[in-house]
Amino acid sequence: MPVNDAILAEAVKIYKVLSNMNRIKILYFLENHEANVSSIVDHVQLSQPIVSHQLAILYHYQLVTRHKRGKHVYYCLDDPHILEMVDAMLGHVSHEIKGEPHHD
């Protein structure tokens, strides 16, 4: 895929979204199932307003989807590939911390 400035600008926006630890925790929690805000709050140990704000950002950038069931809104990971990218970064960080080379 050819890379142009518009694509790079969008990628930078996504990296900025992923620069928040709470958002990454939420994405990992949603990796294999959908959950309502209360379940996410319990899992990530953050207040409901903080979780709702982070979910709104993740939804805006199409990293999570949502649907209403009764009085509850349920969220799920929209694109599992985003966590592959995070996993790759965590692998890089792990090598950096241990002072190991980055080859397989």
Side-chain angles (χ1 to χ4, degrees), residues 8-22:
L8 287 173
E10 285 302 309
V12 167
K13 289 178 188 176
I14 298 299
Y15 276 114
K16 286 181 182 177
V17 169
L18 294 175
S19 70
N20 181 290
M21 183 171 34
N22 294 326

Side-chain angles (χ1 to χ4, degrees), residues 33-96:
H33 63 284
E34 66 178 22
N36 64 18
V37 174
S38 297
S39 297
I40 298 168
V41 165
D42 290 344
H43 181 77
V44 297
Q45 298 292 300
L46 296 168
S47 70
Q48 184 273 323
I50 290 173
V51 168
S52 292
H53 178 70
Q54 300 310 322
L55 285 167
I57 292 168
L58 293 169
Y59 180 77
H60 177 77
Y61 286 96
Q62 301 176 348
L63 299 178
V64 299
T65 59
R66 64 184 181 200
H67 68 276
K68 193 167 187 175
R69 194 178 318 140
K71 294 182 179 183
H72 297 281
V73 176
Y74 288 83
Y75 292 84
C76 62
L77 191 61
D78 189 36
D79 182 1
H81 294 105
I82 201 74
L83 288 179
E84 291 174 13
M85 186 175 72
V86 175
D87 286 341
M89 178 55 73
L90 294 175
H92 172 78
V93 169
S94 178
H95 281 84
E96 288 296 314

